[in-house]
Amino acid sequence: MTLVWLILVPMLGSVLAWLAAWWPGGAAPRWIALIILAIDLILALAAAAGSDAALPDNEAWLAQINWPWIPQLGARLHLGMDGLSLLLILLTISLGLVAVLASWSEITERLGFFHFNLLLTLAGVVGVFLAFDLLLFFFFWELMLVPMYFVIAIWGHEQRVYAATKFFLFTQGSGLLMLAAILALFFIELQQHGAATFDYFALSQAQIDPATQMWIMLGFFVAFAVKLPIVPLHTWLPDAHSEAPTAGSVILASLLLKTGAYGLLRFAVPLFPAAATAFAPVAMTLGVIGILYGALLSFAQYDIKRLIAYTSVSHMGFVLLGIYAWNTLTLRGALMQMLAHGFSTGGLFILAGALQERLHTRDMSRMGGLWSSMPRLSGLGMVFAIASLGLPGLGNFVGEFLVLVGVFQAFPMLGVAGALALVASAIYALAFVQRVFHGPRQESTTLVDLDARHLGVLAVMSAILIWFGLFPQPVFEAANRALGELQRTVFERQIAGK
């Protein structure tokens, strides 16, 4: 039951936050969102503390439920949490709290509707990480889309409607491809076994010929590739990130991108191991292209939020590379990269939002020399920038290093090509620090440094990145069984020729 409440609490909280906009004072939606997410965090930790269910011969599960939902279609309310889901849900709730605090002074209009959309998006993300019925998974996948559209289109910047529409069309179009792939799996299972079901474990046993398996796998892959994003399906990302409000950018970069990576890791490879193995060289090449392309485009940007957006393209290329290399090192590296990127990029977007709030511009050519007037903001900006470039001692380094070492063992040329991005990332990160914080001041206006709220949030995020970098083993131990089970499933299906 705890898993249901993990989704229901932010859903019900979203309605309460919306209604609370009419309460005296006007600040109630913010406090309600904070309380709701704190409750969800306690629920996630409670679910992790117990192991109330388990699949036969499977010790990876921390909790699961499997109830009837739409019997006529064979759809079930099947939710499950293993170590992989747990880590990503904790990331979701933590960065949800960060998004609420980061938007505290930025969002001043239609507060109730803003927090309604924010909490509903987070409910969808949590649902994606828990669903093991493919129809239910698709429901949560779509649930993330509409409220995020409103967050960008209503509270975004000058080109917000264009950016929101582009985001909607890309994700909705690719989502329909995934729906077609889910229905194809459904009908194949119905034809083979006479049973209508969308259950992940039942569908993973379907016998599918290689050509059909490849087409269905591509339906899933495109949907997840758009969300990750993978070059050349990334073009919605810089516009959406740069036009969204700070909270929207944090949710987009730190969480919604991870749903694409999770989809590849949980569905695209384990459901179609033969097709995924055949497709791996193409996927890994796209990953390397994304790593290099994102790093080079980042260096060319003068809009600070577009720079951060392109760094995400580069960092998610490492995740794609790690997932399709599919060995223990790369999977651990991909997971660490997903978690560390969530905090480092989230921190950078909060700083970008703080700069835009003070300077009324995102153009780095109009910044410079800010260190003397805003030392706290500048110092934290340097911390997140060096985290982004993958400096040893921080979580991003652990993720990228494990991916590159694991890839190099099996695909040396791809490993070397991916390593070149470390040089490019150092260039764009240091250029960012130089352009924004050092050099002569471009304007003489008096600037206010970070307040205690921003300082506390960013200090905690920095500490987590350092913890990931110096003591990553607890993260690996939490996900070890889940990742091992995914590897075992793929191996057994490959042996069985499925």
Side-chain angles (χ1 to χ4, degrees):
M1 193 63 190
T2 306
L3 300 186
V4 176
W5 283 113
L6 271 173
I7 301 168
L8 277 182
V9 166
M11 276 186 173
L12 297 173
S14 68
V15 177
L16 186 60
W18 193 359
L19 295 175
W22 285 274
W23 292 0
R30 298 188 181 109
W31 288 104
I32 287 174
L34 275 183
I35 293 168
I36 289 295
L37 290 170
I39 293 171
D40 228 27
L41 183 61
I42 293 170
L43 287 172
L45 294 173
S51 178
D52 57 21
L55 289 176
D57 301 323
N58 190 331
E59 298 178 355
W61 301 100
L62 300 169
Q64 67 162 318
I65 63 164
N66 192 353
W67 298 339
W69 179 30
I70 310 175
Q72 294 82 356
L73 293 176
R76 301 182 66 82
L77 191 66
H78 189 176
L79 303 174
M81 178 192 279
D82 57 10
L84 175 62
S85 301
L86 171 65
L87 289 171
L88 292 173
I89 288 170
L90 290 176
L91 177 75
T92 301
I93 299 170
S94 302
L95 289 171
L97 287 165
V98 166
V100 173
L101 291 169
S103 61
W104 204 269
S105 58
E106 181 185 5
I107 304 298
T108 55
E109 296 179 355
R110 303 178 71 176
L111 266 182
F113 193 50
F114 174 80
H115 288 90
F116 167 80
N117 285 290
L118 193 67
L119 289 173
L120 206 55
T121 303
L122 295 174
V125 176
V126 172
V128 162
F129 292 144
L130 290 177
F132 280 87
D133 180 283
L134 293 194
L135 194 59
L136 187 63
F137 175 79
F138 182 75
F139 169 78
F140 288 126
W141 186 265
E142 293 296 299
L143 181 62
M144 298 185 296
L145 175 59
V146 175
M148 182 49 67
Y149 169 85
F150 284 126
V151 168
I152 301 170
I154 297 176
W155 294 276
H157 303 297
E158 296 82 4
Q159 302 297 320
R160 58 185 180 274
V161 175
Y162 167 76
T165 304
K166 194 173 180 180
F167 161 75
F168 185 88
L169 291 177
F170 268 73
T171 49
Q172 178 69 7
S174 61
L176 291 177
L177 279 179
M178 181 169 67
L179 177 62
I182 290 172
L183 291 175
L185 264 180
F186 172 82
F187 285 114
I188 288 172
E189 176 67 15
L190 184 63
Q191 187 179 36
Q192 290 183 354
H193 300 103
T197 181
F198 288 95
D199 186 77
Y200 170 82
F201 298 100
L203 295 176
S204 68
Q205 300 303 315
Q207 295 282 351
I208 310 172
D209 66 80
T212 307
Q213 188 176 140
M214 178 62 78
W215 282 110
I216 298 175
M217 188 277 294
L218 286 174
F220 281 89
F221 179 82
V222 171
F224 299 142
V226 166
K227 197 62 75 73
L228 190 55
I230 295 171
V231 176
L233 302 172
H234 69 289
T235 58
W236 64 270
L237 181 97
D239 293 319
H241 280 195
S242 56
E243 296 302 326
T246 300
S249 298
V250 170
I251 298 298
L252 273 170
S254 302
L255 299 178
L256 264 59
L257 272 57
K258 309 306 179 294
T259 61
Y262 175 81
L264 292 172
L265 194 55
R266 181 74 80 185
F267 296 98
V269 177
L271 284 177
F272 316 101
T277 302
F279 188 69
V282 177
M284 293 174 72
T285 303
L286 288 174
V288 170
I289 291 172
I291 292 169
L292 297 172
Y293 175 84
L296 293 174
L297 265 289
S298 298
F299 180 69
Q301 302 305 311
Y302 277 85
D303 182 320
I304 189 170
K305 292 185 82 172
R306 290 184 77 87
L307 180 151
I308 302 168
Y310 277 109
T311 66
S312 293
V313 175
S314 182
H315 292 143
M316 291 302 100
F318 280 103
V319 174
L320 180 65
L321 193 60
I323 290 173
Y324 276 87
W326 202 257
N327 60 53
T328 302
L329 280 179
T330 60
L331 291 180
R332 286 183 172 186
L335 175 61
M336 179 57 79
Q337 180 73 347
M338 290 161 66
L339 299 174
H341 174 266
F343 287 103
S344 63
T345 301
L348 284 171
F349 272 121
I350 291 172
L351 289 170
L355 284 169
Q356 186 170 7
E357 200 173 335
R358 289 159 174 75
L359 302 169
H360 307 291
T361 181
R362 301 192 303 266
D363 187 349
M364 289 188 289
S365 66
R366 296 176 58 189
M367 300 179 186
L370 299 179
W371 194 291
S372 57
S373 53
M374 294 191 290
R376 294 194 292 270
L377 186 150
S378 304
L380 284 164
M382 193 174 73
V383 169
F384 288 112
I386 62 176
S388 184
L389 70 84
L391 196 75
L394 297 163
N396 302 61
F397 169 79
V398 177
E400 293 173 7
F401 181 76
L402 289 177
V403 168
L404 290 175
V405 171
V407 169
F408 188 80
Q409 291 175 350
F411 308 93
M413 292 304 296
L414 290 175
V416 170
L420 292 176
L422 298 179
V423 179
S425 61
I427 294 172
Y428 72 66
L430 295 176
F432 159 74
V433 172
Q434 176 63 31
R435 287 170 183 169
V436 176
F437 304 124
H438 297 289
R441 278 286 305 272
Q442 301 299 312
E443 297 178 11
S444 57
T445 52
T446 302
L447 298 173
V448 179
D449 207 347
L450 290 178
D451 56 23
R453 172 171 46 82
H454 275 105
L455 195 61
V457 168
L458 293 168
V460 171
M461 295 171 77
S462 304
I464 292 173
L465 286 171
I466 295 170
W467 176 53
F468 284 165
L470 297 179
F471 306 103
Q473 196 58 31
V475 172
F476 298 144
E477 289 176 357
N480 192 39
R481 288 182 176 176
L483 295 178
E485 184 63 23
L486 287 172
Q487 285 183 277
R488 186 184 66 80
T489 301
V490 169
F491 178 71
E492 288 179 353
R493 295 204 70 206
Q494 285 174 331
I495 295 296
K498 294 180 180 177

